[in-house]
Amino acid sequence: MHHRKLATIEDVAAIAGVSIATVSRAINEPRKVADETRRRVTDAIARTGYTTNAMARSLRMRRANMILILAPDVGDPNFSNILVGLEIAASTRGYGVLIGNTQNDPEREADYLKFISSNQADGLILFTGHLPFGLADADPSVRLPPMVAVNEPVLNHDVPFVGVDNFEGARIAAEHLVSQGHQRIAFIGRSPARRINALREEGYRAALAQAGLSVDERLILPGDGTTESGRQATEHMFVRDVLPSAFLCVNDATALGVFMALNNRGYVLPRQFSVMGFDDIAFASFVTPALTTMKQPRRKIGEEAMNMLLTLLEGEPPRQREVFLRSELIVRNSVSRFTEK
Amino acid sequence: MHHRKLATIEDVAAIAGVSIATVSRAINEPRKVADETRRRVTDAIARTGYTTNAMARSLRMRRANMILILAPDVGDPNFSNILVGLEIAASTRGYGVLIGNTQNDPEREADYLKFISSNQADGLILFTGHLPFGLADADPSVRLPPMVAVNEPVLNHDVPFVGVDNFEGARIAAEHLVSQGHQRIAFIGRSPARRINALREEGYRAALAQAGLSVDERLILPGDGTTESGRQATEHMFVRDVLPSAFLCVNDATALGVFMALNNRGYVLPRQFSVMGFDDIAFASFVTPALTTMKQPRRKIGEEAMNMLLTLLEGEPPRQREVFLRSELIVRNSVSRFTEK
DNA sequence: TTGAAAGCGCTAACAC
DNA sequence: GTGTTAGCGCTTTCAA
């Protein structure tokens, strides 16, 4: 099968006693070939172990049946299941998936774009939240390649998007805290420049407003979504001595930082403080206390995004340019009922 | 740049006033072209935004500069950084990386093999621990495609392998426990059929032997590496009332199960029991107490494996067929000095 | 329903 | 140093 010269369409044609055009048809449009002929071709294919040479076909057809995925870090646990969903949907529809780990390096982004301009990939899935370098600054008359953003919407460009409804998710999370009697709820992870953080903050504000609670701006702390930022924010609150009864964190990583700071100061969770995260990353259920959080339907996001892209590629306009999937409240043990001390 | 018919080598040649052969040479073997000519070609390329059509090139060259990665689950946190390493090494050497999520489904494995037989990929990285279905049973006279196994060696086949030295790592781990005064050390995760588990168990035994400690077989419990198996094994020990002072777990996931069982029973770690893991997965540093473990050089594994494969592909025999990288002892807080009660 | 033949864009042998 | 040309393996008119 390998290194013994591969069978070509000519070999098959010779064995079947037909022309290569007929072999091609038998493979791609079987109904246009007489039953008997088709049988002979099928046999010949089996006998030779023939597989269509994808390069020749792609060259001729001008498409590669390949999708390029651009992500700043394929190893990011937040990405991995989206990746799985993308891969499954792609392979189901006969497409392959190429990965491009950009590390947010403009040069690597531009490099990977060559897969598109060299016809090696037909479309693009973007995890990066921005157009890849080389496209961002391109003259606007130039048509962008077919692409769909995932995880983070693309700033300032009308790129179709599939992701979680961050506003609604955060609203539900804050509502959960309110339903447990909390009135002083901190939001950890303010960062207006980050779309996700901004939306989650808005959801938080909406829930408080809806509950008739006023927002204490001193309980809203900046953070970039890292564990360290959660730790620092918490420390900061103690230094200023403005404390909540519950922490709503912009994501699970941040919540972990809050956990660490609180543990460090000797508090027992969730007795003395409640903490909520967002994302439901792998270890959320393994920390102590297990983290109450909002679960992202990651695999589903990947599948939807890929299906949207392939639909786009096949020439149909997508039914909607933005799809927001619902996140799910996962109640574990890091939130307790608030009781006045 | 897109959908405005792509520039071809002929367009460049016309603009530069040379033949297409010269353009090709200017790109691939610049030194064979006169300075002045090369300059004109470079200019023309810039003016047209030309990119070599990868399909045409691959068809002609009979190689795709593409590597297929077969993994049962791309989302596995144990894989992700290896994946990053693979990707980095590949792109550094001008190769693309195709992912195949097989879910251990023979059908999907066979499907993905078509990327090889259809010339879309030149080589294979195997995470699966076995030859893909369709190769495993192939007649042995058939040459296998170039491949390198990673993470888990391939059973019964002489496939080059890059991974961590499991025996040595476990030996160092057990030695660490011994150095902290532990004498009754359990091994959680016995599973002779799994190469990794078996090697780690051997390392454990070697360390005890070296320390002059006898092995109490009742302290060696079966497990498949899941969190649940760790929990169960621990429960089992309590039921039989044969207890160690320290648990050496076959991996971090198992250690987590041990944590849960111990927490459940109200023990305080590491005061009452010490626990060690293996792998250093993402959350190892975030559990309480932070897990002492052996860190796998995952990214390095990926890089080495890819480099080995590309070397193979370029016709050179690999310097060694098996590369074992050292794992690193990461001391955190889950192990304490043993003091007689 | 089938076949002949053009041509996708490129590299490499060969000739100059 | 450079140009001409064959041909990689396929799909797709066009004609029979």
Side-chain angles (χ1 to χ4, degrees):
Chain A
M1 179 191 256
H2 196 73
H3 269 215
R4 171 197 297 176
K5 203 159 60 219
L6 258 30
T8 76
I9 200 171
E10 294 211 59
D11 301 328
V12 175
I15 294 188
V18 297
S19 75
I20 61 168
T22 298
V23 174
S24 178
R25 275 185 225 111
I27 293 170
N28 302 310
E29 308 161 291
R31 293 178 327 178
K32 292 197 175 176
V33 169
D35 284 3
E36 164 59 12
T37 315
R38 182 163 6 91
R39 212 186 44 66
R40 294 221 311 279
V41 171
T42 313
D43 278 6
I45 288 178
R47 185 141 56 252
T48 54
Y50 169 75
T51 325
T52 303
N53 181 314
M55 294 313 163
R57 163 182 268 160
S58 297
L59 174 58
R60 178 63 225 235
M61 313 252 294
R62 300 162 167 291
R63 43 193 216 67
N65 281 288
M66 201 66 96
I67 301 298
L68 175 63
I69 296 183
L70 245 34
D73 176 13
V74 211
D76 187 327
N78 269 307
F79 293 176
S80 55
N81 275 319
I82 300 184
L83 205 60
V84 172
L86 289 166
E87 199 275 350
I88 288 176
S91 72
T92 300
R93 294 176 61 167
Y95 281 75
V97 162
L98 221 49
I99 65 172
N101 202 239
T102 65
Q103 301 166 98
N104 276 325
D105 175 353
E107 205 173 324
R108 307 205 71 199
E109 292 179 2
D111 265 6
Y112 269 112
L113 268 189
K114 293 202 184 123
F115 280 91
I116 297 284
S117 58
S118 72
N119 274 325
Q120 260 185 116
D122 308 319
L124 213 49
I125 295 278
L126 284 182
F127 274 82
T128 52
H130 58 257
L131 288 188
F133 187 78
L135 236 43
D137 52 347
D139 105 65
S141 74
V142 171
R143 279 267 295 277
L144 295 178
M147 56 186 165
V148 170
V150 110
N151 195 55
E152 233 177 307
V154 171
L155 267 176
N156 307 327
H157 290 271
D158 182 29
V159 175
F161 173 72
V162 178
V164 84
D165 189 335
N166 290 295
F167 172 87
E168 182 62 10
R171 204 189 57 68
I172 290 172
E175 203 171 57
H176 175 64
L177 258 11
V178 169
S179 79
Q180 297 301 302
H182 293 280
Q183 308 216 353
R184 291 186 55 72
I185 302 173
F187 179 83
I188 312 296
R190 175 177 167 79
S191 179
R194 287 169 224 261
R195 199 63 193 284
I196 291 177
N197 297 46
L199 286 166
R200 292 184 184 174
E201 181 183 336
E202 279 178 45
Y204 153 86
R205 289 178 184 271
L208 295 209
Q210 200 175 346
L213 263 28
S214 67
V215 173
D216 181 344
E217 298 291 340
R218 296 170 307 169
L219 291 180
I220 300 190
L221 276 87
D224 58 3
T226 57
T227 298
E228 180 55 20
S229 78
R231 210 190 52 65
Q232 279 183 11
T234 308
E235 275 307 314
H236 199 66
M237 295 193 122
F238 278 99
V239 169
R240 293 200 309 183
D241 200 25
V242 181
L243 294 171
S245 69
F247 294 80
L248 176 56
C249 303
V250 73
N251 63 21
D252 290 351
T254 301
L256 220 44
V258 174
F259 268 36
M260 292 168 90
L262 258 21
N263 276 333
N264 244 3
R265 287 182 167 263
Y267 291 102
V268 176
L269 305 187
R271 187 135 46 83
Q272 293 172 285
F273 290 100
S274 291
V275 179
M276 260 196 95
F278 198 118
D279 284 348
D280 193 29
I281 53 183
F283 62 76
S285 60
F286 295 129
V287 289
T288 312
L291 186 64
T292 292
T293 189
M294 300 300 299
K295 175 178 183 152
Q296 290 211 38
R298 276 185 257 277
R299 182 148 154 187
K300 181 117 202 242
I301 290 177
E303 293 178 344
E304 291 268 342
M306 184 56 74
N307 281 323
M308 190 189 248
L309 178 58
L310 298 187
T311 303
L312 219 62
L313 240 98
E314 280 154 16
E316 286 178 54
R319 259 172 303 176
Q320 15 181 1
R321 298 191 64 80
E322 296 195 309
V323 174
F324 295 108
L325 299 174
R326 289 181 44 214
S327 52
E328 182 191 353
L329 173 63
I330 305 288
V331 176
R332 297 205 182 92
N333 312 317
S334 66
V335 173
S336 65
R337 240 195 124 59
F338 178 71
T339 49
E340 202 58 60
K341 281 150 206 168
Chain B
M1 180 193 257
H2 195 72
H3 270 216
R4 171 199 297 175
K5 201 159 62 220
L6 258 31
T8 76
I9 200 171
E10 294 210 58
D11 301 328
V12 176
I15 295 190
V18 298
S19 73
I20 61 168
T22 298
V23 175
S24 178
R25 276 192 291 262
I27 292 169
N28 301 310
E29 307 160 291
R31 295 178 325 178
K32 292 197 174 177
V33 169
D35 285 2
E36 165 58 11
T37 315
R38 183 162 7 91
R39 212 187 42 65
R40 295 220 313 277
V41 171
T42 313
D43 278 6
I45 288 177
R47 186 141 56 252
T48 53
Y50 169 77
T51 326
T52 302
N53 180 314
M55 294 314 163
R57 165 182 268 161
S58 297
L59 175 58
R60 178 62 225 232
M61 312 252 296
R62 302 164 166 291
R63 42 197 216 69
N65 280 289
M66 200 66 92
I67 300 299
L68 175 63
I69 297 184
L70 245 35
D73 176 11
V74 211
D76 187 326
N78 269 307
F79 294 176
S80 55
N81 275 319
I82 300 183
L83 205 59
V84 172
L86 289 167
E87 199 277 350
I88 289 176
S91 72
T92 300
R93 295 175 63 167
Y95 280 76
V97 163
L98 219 51
I99 64 170
N101 201 239
T102 65
Q103 301 166 98
N104 275 325
D105 176 352
E107 205 173 324
R108 307 205 69 198
E109 292 179 2
D111 266 6
Y112 269 112
L113 269 189
K114 293 203 184 122
F115 280 92
I116 298 284
S117 58
S118 72
N119 273 327
Q120 261 186 113
D122 309 318
L124 213 50
I125 295 278
L126 284 182
F127 273 83
T128 52
H130 58 258
L131 289 188
F133 186 79
L135 234 47
D137 52 349
D139 107 61
S141 74
V142 171
R143 278 268 295 275
L144 295 178
M147 55 187 166
V148 170
V150 112
N151 195 55
E152 233 177 306
V154 171
L155 266 177
N156 307 326
H157 290 270
D158 182 28
V159 175
F161 172 72
V162 178
V164 83
D165 189 334
N166 290 296
F167 172 87
E168 181 63 9
R171 204 189 59 67
I172 290 170
E175 201 172 58
H176 175 65
L177 256 13
V178 169
S179 79
Q180 298 302 301
H182 293 278
Q183 308 216 351
R184 290 186 56 71
I185 302 173
F187 179 82
I188 312 295
R190 175 177 168 78
S191 178
R194 288 168 224 263
R195 200 59 196 285
I196 292 177
N197 297 47
L199 286 166
R200 291 184 185 174
E201 180 183 335
E202 278 179 44
Y204 154 86
R205 288 178 185 272
L208 295 211
Q210 198 175 348
L213 262 28
S214 68
V215 174
D216 181 344
E217 296 293 337
R218 296 169 307 169
L219 290 179
I220 299 190
L221 274 87
D224 60 2
T226 58
T227 299
E228 179 54 21
S229 78
R231 211 192 48 67
Q232 279 183 10
T234 309
E235 275 307 314
H236 200 67
M237 295 193 121
F238 278 99
V239 169
R240 292 202 308 185
D241 199 26
V242 182
L243 295 170
S245 68
F247 294 80
L248 175 56
C249 303
V250 72
N251 63 19
D252 290 352
T254 300
L256 220 45
V258 174
F259 268 37
M260 293 169 89
L262 259 20
N263 277 332
N264 243 2
R265 289 184 165 262
Y267 291 101
V268 176
L269 307 186
R271 187 137 45 84
Q272 294 173 283
F273 291 100
S274 290
V275 179
M276 261 197 93
F278 199 117
D279 283 349
D280 195 27
I281 56 182
F283 62 76
S285 59
F286 295 130
V287 289
T288 313
L291 187 63
T292 292
T293 189
M294 301 301 299
K295 176 178 183 154
Q296 289 211 36
R298 276 185 256 279
R299 182 147 154 187
K300 182 118 203 243
I301 289 176
E303 293 178 346
E304 290 267 342
M306 185 56 75
N307 281 324
M308 191 188 247
L309 178 59
L310 299 187
T311 303
L312 220 61
L313 233 69
E314 280 154 17
E316 286 178 54
R319 258 171 303 176
Q320 14 181 359
R321 299 192 64 81
E322 296 194 308
V323 174
F324 295 108
L325 300 173
R326 288 182 44 213
S327 51
E328 183 191 354
L329 174 64
I330 305 287
V331 176
R332 297 206 181 92
N333 312 318
S334 65
V335 172
S336 65
R337 236 192 126 61
F338 178 70
T339 49
E340 203 59 59
K341 282 150 205 170

